[in-house]
Amino acid sequence: MGSKGFAKDVGDLLRVGRNFHLGDVDPAATPGFSGDKAEGKVHLARRDIVLAEYQERLYAAGRDGDAPSVLLILQAMDTAGKGGIVSHVVGGVDVQGVHLKAFKAPTDEEKQHDFLWRVERELPGPGMLGVFDRSHYEDVLIHRVHGWADAATIHRRYREIRDFEQAVAARGTTIVKVMLHISKEEQKRRLLARLEDPVKRWKYNPGDVDERQHWDAYMDAYQKAIDMTSTPWAPWHVVPADRKWYARIAVLELLIDAFKSITPDWPEPSYSLERERARVLAS
Amino acid sequence: MGSKGFAKDVGDLLRVGRNFHLGDVDPAATPGFSGDKAEGKVHLARRDIVLAEYQERLYAAGRDGDAPSVLLILQAMDTAGKGGIVSHVVGGVDVQGVHLKAFKAPTDEEKQHDFLWRVERELPGPGMLGVFDRSHYEDVLIHRVHGWADAATIHRRYREIRDFEQAVAARGTTIVKVMLHISKEEQKRRLLARLEDPVKRWKYNPGDVDERQHWDAYMDAYQKAIDMTSTPWAPWHVVPADRKWYARIAVLELLIDAFKSITPDWPEPSYSLERERARVLAS
């Protein structure tokens, strides 16, 4: 079985442009990929190796403390597959080069600070792949849906996020922002599946059903957040996610593109090869 | 090709007992394993799946915030293969359940605190596998070799480490301490190999040769540290590491044993299945 691959640049297909409407995106679509699920899995296995190679090379460059980095920001409704992206896409690269942070409800200490304080502390170092499972976007998503912050505050946060991400990008971090987009019907199927399977039951959280009641408000909040924070230095990508296998290869390709544009060649040694060879031999 | 597996419990074979002498350990040996390198690799692939299953189950138990955890502490001379253990053994489990920390020379902030301060902050949470690539043992190893701390201070640190690890274990963390033990000759081969291969050259650090000059002093420091900090709650294991494939399957088995003894069954739901099914269906 071959792998048909992508017909076009995935970034171009999934990057949010002007007049973007979330409602126009079909969560069951597979933009750019003509293959089926089996072909998608072959694609994943084949291209994960490519990502791993880039990542190792970027990590090597980071040894000297002065190298770019990549930050993947994952946002989505519950059950959309953030965890699967982390396990099956990020999981394919060397864990030594990954800095993964799952942001939960803020702790008491975190609440004492600005909403970006805890995020700043988790940014990837030189040569690293940072992964945010949820992020500072919760402060303009769930906060907006539940009215935990007033409209003026939310509006100020959009600007603070833009400025923050601009500063992060300027320091050499390529930001890849992804919204995994599932349909409300698919979420229902997945919630029921978690209840049916004894091995998945622990993933079921009754709170997810509470949030589900606010589906439309969440879609509005995502639309607004995407409109207000899609920038040249940190554009949003909306990835159809009703088909898990598609979402995984799409995010994989977005990561490969990000690495490709910044990963230098294997670093030249900063020492004299001849001299070191002699030192080792004499030791 | 079959996998012969281990004849005996690896923990029993590698755990340090009374009157342990580091000099008696053959770094090229493969205690308990009768197979060769190829069989070792088969073993690794087969048993990594077992570890991943335990880890997922422990992670599930950790969802409710009250579950045990495992902490793997890796110490070794340079090039002994800590990184390979992390990539190839730890890399086989879901990255979401791993908290990896590579301890480097302490930062200015860390130097303002007790040597255990930065370690305490990196302990694994409930359900997690923590991995320390180097650790608080550097404070009784390199510090002893270079005389950065006087004998009385080093001696006090042994006790502080014992007490600290006892408290960590009492909180529900199974501590697996591993010294990867390579020979001085094998280190020379590996250093030369790093210099020869353009893709490995970035891993070569001239400082490793400086430390190599203190080989005997390091062996003394390891012997002393092992004597002073092997406890019932956190025993040391000395793993022969001249054969990378052996070290990997040995550490893998030590981890499986640690998980096996603490991993509960899949957690029972804390909610009513019937009620939740109805809520989802109505939503």
Side-chain angles (χ1 to χ4, degrees):
Chain A
M1 176 179 6
S3 174
K4 298 191 181 170
F6 280 85
K8 286 187 182 180
D9 183 274
V10 188
D12 290 345
L13 288 168
L14 302 178
R15 198 176 308 115
V16 164
R18 284 187 177 280
N19 300 317
F20 168 81
H21 293 291
L22 185 55
D24 294 342
V25 178
D26 175 5
T30 61
F33 195 79
S34 55
D36 59 11
K37 181 175 178 175
E39 284 159 330
K41 291 198 168 189
V42 171
H43 186 92
L44 182 70
R46 185 167 60 82
R47 294 286 284 173
D48 229 3
I49 297 167
V50 175
L51 178 63
E53 285 170 356
Y54 275 116
Q55 186 276 332
E56 193 189 349
R57 199 133 51 82
L58 190 66
Y59 183 77
R63 262 291 171 100
D64 293 331
D66 183 29
S69 57
V70 175
L71 173 61
L72 173 65
I73 298 177
L74 293 170
Q75 285 289 155
M77 297 299 285
D78 297 310
T79 77
K82 288 187 283 79
I85 297 285
V86 173
S87 305
H88 298 283
V89 180
V90 177
V93 307
D94 192 328
V95 63
Q96 295 185 85
V98 174
H99 181 75
L100 169 66
K101 175 65 185 177
F103 288 98
K104 315 278 183 189
T107 63
D108 286 341
E109 188 195 11
E110 288 168 352
K111 282 181 190 163
Q112 303 300 314
H113 295 84
D114 177 82
F115 77 106
L116 294 170
W117 178 78
R118 65 176 185 161
V119 178
E120 173 85 43
R121 291 154 48 106
E122 301 289 345
L123 292 171
M128 297 290 286
L129 167 59
V131 180
F132 287 175
D133 178 347
R134 304 186 188 275
S135 67
H136 43 293
Y137 283 97
E138 294 298 331
D139 295 273
V140 294
L141 292 168
I142 193 170
H143 280 238
R144 187 176 193 268
V145 168
H146 290 292
W148 295 344
D150 61 29
T153 302
I154 298 283
H155 205 79
R156 198 187 63 235
R157 286 181 186 166
Y158 294 135
R159 181 173 48 74
E160 289 170 345
I161 289 174
R162 288 195 302 268
D163 293 347
F164 171 71
E165 291 178 348
Q166 187 170 32
V168 170
R171 276 180 264 159
T173 300
T174 299
I175 302 172
V176 181
K177 294 195 296 201
V178 167
M179 179 208 178
L180 298 176
H181 186 38
I182 57 166
S183 64
K184 198 176 176 188
E185 298 67 39
E186 178 65 17
Q187 191 194 52
K188 180 182 275 190
R189 277 190 290 272
R190 293 187 187 180
L191 288 170
L192 290 171
R194 287 184 178 182
L195 286 171
E196 294 318 311
D197 185 347
V199 163
K200 282 186 181 172
R201 245 166 229 165
W202 64 276
K203 293 186 183 180
Y204 181 89
N205 174 4
D208 293 353
V209 183
D210 302 334
E211 295 308 312
R212 179 173 164 77
Q213 318 290 346
H214 303 283
W215 190 274
D216 294 344
Y218 268 108
M219 292 305 111
D220 287 347
Y222 270 104
Q223 175 75 55
K224 188 74 178 170
I226 289 168
D227 289 345
M228 296 297 285
T229 64
S230 261
T231 55
W233 54 86
W236 273 102
H237 303 82
V238 173
V239 176
D242 273 9
R243 298 171 202 259
K244 286 181 187 173
W245 61 268
Y246 174 78
R248 290 173 190 173
I249 58 176
V251 174
L252 175 59
E253 293 298 328
L254 292 175
L255 284 176
I256 289 175
D257 281 352
F259 274 93
K260 193 187 287 181
S261 60
I262 60 166
T263 304
D265 227 334
W266 290 104
E268 287 297 313
S270 54
Y271 48 81
S272 153
L273 268 177
E274 273 318 305
R275 180 160 172 274
E276 291 302 323
R277 217 175 262 131
R279 285 181 70 217
V280 174
L281 286 168
S283 71
Chain B
M1 177 179 6
S3 173
K4 297 189 181 173
F6 280 85
K8 288 187 180 178
D9 183 274
V10 188
D12 289 344
L13 289 167
L14 303 179
R15 198 177 307 114
V16 163
R18 285 187 177 277
N19 301 317
F20 168 80
H21 293 292
L22 185 55
D24 295 342
V25 178
D26 175 6
T30 60
F33 195 79
S34 54
D36 58 11
K37 181 175 177 174
E39 285 159 330
K41 291 197 169 193
V42 171
H43 186 93
L44 182 69
R46 186 169 58 82
R47 295 285 284 173
D48 228 4
I49 297 166
V50 175
L51 178 63
E53 284 170 357
Y54 275 115
Q55 185 275 333
E56 193 188 349
R57 199 133 52 82
L58 190 65
Y59 183 78
R63 262 292 171 97
D64 291 331
D66 184 29
S69 57
V70 176
L71 173 61
L72 173 66
I73 298 178
L74 292 169
Q75 285 288 157
M77 297 298 285
D78 297 309
T79 78
K82 289 187 280 79
I85 298 285
V86 173
S87 305
H88 298 284
V89 179
V90 177
V93 307
D94 193 327
V95 62
Q96 294 184 85
V98 174
H99 181 75
L100 168 66
K101 175 64 185 177
F103 287 98
K104 315 280 185 188
T107 63
D108 286 340
E109 188 194 13
E110 287 167 353
K111 282 182 191 164
Q112 304 300 314
H113 295 84
D114 178 82
F115 77 107
L116 294 170
W117 178 78
R118 64 174 185 163
V119 178
E120 173 86 44
R121 292 153 49 105
E122 301 290 345
L123 291 171
M128 296 289 286
L129 167 59
V131 180
F132 286 176
D133 177 347
R134 306 186 186 277
S135 67
H136 43 293
Y137 282 97
E138 294 297 331
D139 295 273
V140 295
L141 292 167
I142 193 170
H143 279 237
R144 187 178 194 266
V145 168
H146 290 291
W148 296 344
D150 61 30
T153 302
I154 298 284
H155 205 79
R156 199 187 62 234
R157 286 181 185 165
Y158 294 136
R159 181 172 48 73
E160 288 170 345
I161 288 174
R162 289 195 302 268
D163 293 348
F164 171 71
E165 291 178 349
Q166 187 170 31
V168 170
R171 276 180 264 160
T173 299
T174 299
I175 301 172
V176 181
K177 294 195 295 202
V178 167
M179 180 209 179
L180 298 176
H181 186 37
I182 57 165
S183 63
K184 198 175 174 188
E185 297 68 40
E186 177 64 18
Q187 191 193 52
K188 181 183 275 191
R189 277 191 289 274
R190 293 186 187 180
L191 288 171
L192 290 172
R194 287 184 177 182
L195 287 170
E196 294 318 311
D197 186 347
V199 163
K200 282 186 180 172
R201 245 165 230 165
W202 64 275
K203 292 186 182 180
Y204 181 89
N205 174 4
D208 293 353
V209 182
D210 303 334
E211 295 308 311
R212 179 173 164 77
Q213 318 290 345
H214 304 283
W215 190 274
D216 293 344
Y218 269 108
M219 292 305 110
D220 287 346
Y222 270 104
Q223 175 75 54
K224 188 75 179 169
I226 289 167
D227 288 345
M228 296 297 285
T229 64
S230 261
T231 56
W233 53 86
W236 272 102
H237 303 82
V238 174
V239 176
D242 274 9
R243 298 171 202 260
K244 286 182 187 173
W245 62 266
Y246 175 78
R248 290 173 190 173
I249 59 177
V251 174
L252 175 60
E253 292 299 329
L254 293 175
L255 284 176
I256 289 174
D257 281 352
F259 275 92
K260 192 186 287 179
S261 60
I262 61 167
T263 303
D265 228 335
W266 290 104
E268 287 296 315
S270 54
Y271 49 81
S272 153
L273 269 177
E274 273 320 306
R275 180 161 173 274
E276 292 302 322
R277 217 175 261 131
R279 285 182 71 217
V280 174
L281 285 168
S283 70

